[in-house]
Amino acid sequence: MSTTEAAAPSDRVRGSQSGWSEFWLKEDWWAIWLGLGIVLAAAVLYVQGGSLKYLAVTPVKWTSAAQLGQHFAENWPRYLVQFLFWLTIFGAALTALGHRLRDFVASFAGLYALSVAVFVIGQWTEANYYNIEPPLVALALGLLISNTVGVPGRLETGFRVEFYVKTGIVLLGATLPVSLIVWAGPVAILQASIVSLATFVVIFGVARYLGLDRRLAAVLGAGGAVCGVSASIAIAGAVGAKKEHAPIAITIVILWAIVMIFVLPFVARALGLPAGIAGAWIGTSEFADAAGIAAAQTYAGFPGQVPGIEGTGEQAVQAFTLMKVIGRDVWIGIWAFVLAVIATTRWEPAEFGRKPQASEIWRRFPKFVLGFLAASLIVTLAARGDGMAEFNKSVVPVLVAPVKDLRSWAFIFCFLSIGLTTRFSGLASAGVRPFAAFTAGVAVNVVLGFVLSAYVFAGYWTGLGR
Amino acid sequence: MSAAQRCGACRHFRNDPAYLEAAIPGLSSLSSAAASVRADDGLCLRHDRYLGSDAVCAAFAAAHAGQSNGTAHHASR
């Protein structure tokens, strides 16, 4: 018996999160409550002639310290209100999820201060000239802190990468009309399915060729093909993986995801890809939502700033989200169900007596996607009857823009948290064979994703949102 | 084997999110133990396996009354 079994009673079982309790015990639902709460508030205020502009303050574009000083002298009460707003809603959610509020307050105060600094750096008018992109600055700063001076364990309560990115994606739904999701969604599903299947088959096949356990091969394959760390942990549970399998896959996914945050945007930039195509490629070839958003948001800073990059920043983020969330993430339940059936009927039919049920598809469904779709529907309904000119004149600045600014904050919290929670020395040792198998999948994924995004479906991605 | 004897009600099973994030390096870096995709899977410390709370095996050992809050939920699934 493992020596780690002497855990505190409270560590043992957190009651079933598959019933009603899921609504307050899973961060996906909390991302929905918070994100949709903001979108609904924005929509109600818009209908009544108001706006969330006061709350959605962001640093201004600046060229001199004097400009910056004047901005903060005039707007510091807005930043204080915004800090208290985030502290309250995230604090309430994380307390419900079992975290200590006192620890969260201390860590979030630091996180917010760092986020303001990153936002200010990104708003410098010369930032783009020097390739200073806020997502990369946030990531690099976080990695530097966590891998040098380190972060006390209890302060990590505020560095909830997934929670922030899911909340941001729900808010992102408010910037996509339902018609756009309906138009581009099927293409995203088709493209993502082709790449996901090819990537999984390659990783699984190479892993088996190299003599790795079938369950480890499946955990690695899903991590590369579907949604990174989240897919690895979901498939590990579905196939009953050995304890060490998920940490091995997680280490490799994190390493490749961080490499791709830096590589994909700058290779796409060197190739002069239009924003929509670059976003679709990143959505196909990044391994985790948070890492992908960081890469897509980086590319979003190039159109209009870098000569030859066509499109808009929003196209990069929207194409990424459609591809990653609609094209890949929502299918994790089906992957888990199919692999659970294979594991229990072919790999080890007598062990652990599990009988996979189709309900597993819903149990593992990334519920925050529902919030993303609902946010899109809410804004579409709030703006119904407005023509395109009226939409751009009144709806965008009053309703959509404040939600978009709050989304930017959520993403910066996420980017910093990635770095602050990634300590390379704390990751499990992965081994050469798992790394080689996963890397073979990366090669296929990146090339196939590029061909489909830049050639086969290029027309869809360049025309996104037009 | 009855629903009450599934892993979710076993003393060897751990699926508290905080425990899992401490036990699985990197899980909180690009994901989370509180994510829907994890469902209520956990670690079996008897067999060193990561599996669903609805799995069963011959080594089942009921958790102490004050130790478990998962039995009733899992039994109702």
Side-chain angles (χ1 to χ4, degrees):
Chain A
M1 191 177 295
S2 166
T3 54
T4 57
E5 192 154 356
S10 60
D11 291 336
R12 213 196 66 74
V13 171
R14 179 76 176 268
S16 171
Q17 290 127 28
S18 303
W20 292 105
S21 60
E22 187 177 347
F23 291 134
W24 62 89
L25 289 180
K26 289 293 189 185
E27 67 184 14
D28 286 56
W29 285 108
W30 277 106
I32 292 176
W33 307 142
L34 303 191
L36 280 191
I38 291 171
V39 174
L40 275 171
V44 169
L45 285 170
Y46 167 74
V47 170
Q48 295 179 340
S51 172
L52 277 178
K53 277 182 187 173
Y54 184 87
L55 181 67
V57 61
T58 62
V60 289
K61 284 277 182 191
W62 60 279
T63 53
S64 69
Q67 278 179 308
L68 203 55
Q70 186 183 356
H71 168 77
F72 281 108
E74 291 171 355
N75 292 285
W76 69 263
R78 295 175 68 189
Y79 285 96
L80 180 61
V81 169
Q82 188 191 69
F83 168 69
L84 293 174
F85 168 74
W86 288 126
L87 189 73
T88 303
I89 65 169
F90 285 137
L94 289 171
T95 301
L97 287 167
H99 297 276
R100 288 172 52 160
L101 183 61
R102 190 173 55 186
D103 294 342
F104 172 73
V105 171
S107 63
F108 188 75
L111 185 71
Y112 188 79
L114 285 174
S115 299
V116 172
V118 167
F119 221 138
V120 165
I121 292 169
Q123 293 291 68
W124 181 35
T125 51
E126 298 296 313
N128 208 267
Y129 177 78
Y130 292 105
N131 287 330
I132 301 172
E133 297 300 331
L136 304 185
V137 171
L139 179 64
L141 182 61
L143 285 172
L144 184 69
I145 293 171
S146 64
N147 288 281
T148 54
V149 296
V151 178
R154 68 185 188 88
L155 288 187
E156 289 196 1
T157 301
F159 309 148
R160 303 302 304 176
V161 174
E162 277 282 285
F163 190 30
Y164 298 139
V165 78
K166 286 171 180 169
T167 304
I169 289 174
V170 173
L171 294 175
L172 199 150
T175 64
L176 272 96
V178 170
S179 57
L180 188 65
I181 296 174
V182 172
W183 178 72
V187 180
I189 291 170
L190 177 61
Q191 176 171 331
S193 298
I194 293 168
V195 178
S196 292
L197 284 169
T199 304
F200 182 88
V201 167
V202 169
I203 294 176
F204 188 89
V206 173
R208 291 295 293 149
Y209 177 77
L210 294 174
L212 297 177
D213 183 287
R214 282 176 291 211
R215 289 162 297 193
L216 174 56
V219 172
L220 285 168
V226 191
C227 49
V229 173
S230 294
S232 290
I233 199 69
I235 299 305
V239 302
K242 290 181 181 175
K243 183 183 176 184
E244 63 271 23
H245 287 167
I248 289 171
I250 287 169
T251 294
I252 299 170
V253 168
I254 288 173
L255 293 177
W256 267 116
I258 289 178
V259 167
M260 287 300 180
I261 291 174
F262 291 93
V263 168
L264 285 175
F266 288 100
V267 171
R269 172 177 160 157
L271 295 170
L273 296 184
I277 288 177
W281 186 27
I282 293 167
T284 312
S285 299
E286 248 297 2
F287 303 103
D289 289 0
I293 281 283
Q297 196 77 49
T298 297
Y299 205 79
F302 296 157
Q305 301 290 327
V306 178
I309 306 290
E310 295 176 3
T312 65
E314 272 305 278
Q315 281 183 318
V317 177
Q318 290 174 348
F320 163 80
T321 307
L322 287 166
M323 183 62 69
K324 185 73 177 68
V325 175
I326 304 295
R328 292 168 68 189
D329 291 358
V330 298
W331 307 105
I332 183 60
I334 292 175
W335 281 94
F337 176 63
V338 170
L339 287 167
V341 169
I342 294 171
T344 53
T345 57
R346 295 175 62 90
W347 295 351
E348 45 181 19
E351 203 168 3
F352 298 115
R354 284 192 77 200
K355 291 179 181 172
Q357 297 174 339
S359 60
E360 180 144 352
I361 296 169
W362 169 247
R363 282 201 299 134
R364 295 187 189 279
F365 185 84
K367 313 294 189 306
F368 75 96
V369 178
L370 301 176
F372 166 80
L373 296 173
S376 172
L377 192 62
I378 289 169
V379 171
T380 303
L381 289 174
R384 75 184 190 283
D386 293 330
M388 185 55 80
E390 181 62 19
F391 184 85
N392 288 330
K393 181 185 170 190
S394 63
V395 180
V396 168
V398 178
L399 171 54
V400 176
V403 172
K404 190 177 156 190
D405 288 338
L406 291 172
R407 176 191 95 190
S408 297
W409 282 106
F411 285 156
I412 289 181
F413 300 154
C414 164
F415 304 149
L416 275 164
S417 297
I418 295 174
L420 289 167
T421 54
T422 303
R423 277 182 303 281
F424 295 114
S425 62
L427 295 175
S429 176
V432 173
R433 289 181 297 159
F435 188 80
F438 193 90
T439 303
V442 172
V444 170
N445 181 308
V446 168
V447 173
L448 193 54
F450 174 77
V451 170
L452 293 175
S453 302
Y455 295 103
V456 180
F457 299 115
Y460 282 93
W461 302 120
T462 50
L464 193 68
R466 288 182 181 166
Chain B
M1 199 166 285
S2 74
Q5 292 183 318
R6 290 177 178 170
C7 290
C10 176
R11 72 170 61 170
H12 304 301
F13 191 71
R14 304 281 186 277
N15 76 346
D16 179 79
Y19 177 88
L20 292 178
E21 289 188 359
I24 302 174
L27 179 57
S28 60
S29 289
L30 287 176
S31 185
S32 162
S36 291
V37 296
R38 188 185 65 78
D40 43 15
D41 302 337
L43 282 170
C44 167
L45 304 184
R46 177 75 170 75
H47 296 102
D48 279 342
R49 297 282 287 261
Y50 183 80
L51 70 182
S53 64
D54 56 348
V56 294
C57 84
F60 175 83
H64 302 305
Q67 193 181 1
S68 171
N69 61 356
T71 305
H73 294 289
H74 294 299
S76 66
R77 277 182 49 194

